[in-house]
Amino acid sequence: MMTGMNTETCDPAELAALRDIFASRSEAVPPAGWEAVRSFEAEHGIVLPEPYRTFVAEICDGLRAGPPYYGLLPLALTPPDWGTDRPERLLAEPFPLTAAWLWEEEEATQEALSEQEFEARLDSVFDHGSLLLSTDGCGMYWHLIVTGPQRGHVWLIDENAAIPFGTRPDTSLMPGTPGFAGWATHWAQGRPWFADA
């Protein structure tokens, strides 16, 4: 389980790194401002984790050129390929995972649950406690966890698995510095997402 991040106070060093990455890019969307951030939080019954909260309010509210491939989404938007027939996103409900879940490799899990139970569990992974940051296309979505034990961590969720970004290199499919600032820095440095890449 990943712990130890300060998601309540914005680290000046992380904010400076984010400013360096995003502020000078011509394709950066202007910051949303504190009023928009607070309004979004009130609407969803959450407080966004730092440093993402200050980043969106003061630095940038999206970037067409990344991260990752299809760009960083503005606050509250979903990518065009997300679909309109999906369940309602419930940001105030805790994100249900604390470790990677590769459901395509866990036949026993699928067999132990009814199809309805499995779909409900899967829906909660996609729609509870996370904000969509971006897409890499082909149904691969980057989520910032906003509620629950993984608050502040970034996860890649697709049709096969949910994998956290940024844990110890010897135990993670996606090693790196956890959190939004670590994820954005990893992208800006052009590093591969997966350990075996």
Side-chain angles (χ1 to χ4, degrees), residues 12 23 35 52 64 77 92 104 113 128 137 139 154 157 163 177 181 185 193:
E35 185 177 335
Y52 179 78
R64 290 175 205 77
L77 291 187
E104 287 297 314
L113 302 172
H128 290 184
V154 175
I157 304 173
I163 304 169
T177 302
T185 301
W193 295 117

Side-chain angles (χ1 to χ4, degrees), residues 97-113:
L97 302 178
T98 56
W101 180 28
L102 286 70
W103 51 84
E104 287 297 314
E105 294 181 5
E106 293 183 10
E107 289 181 28
T109 300
Q110 291 184 37
E111 291 172 4
L113 302 172

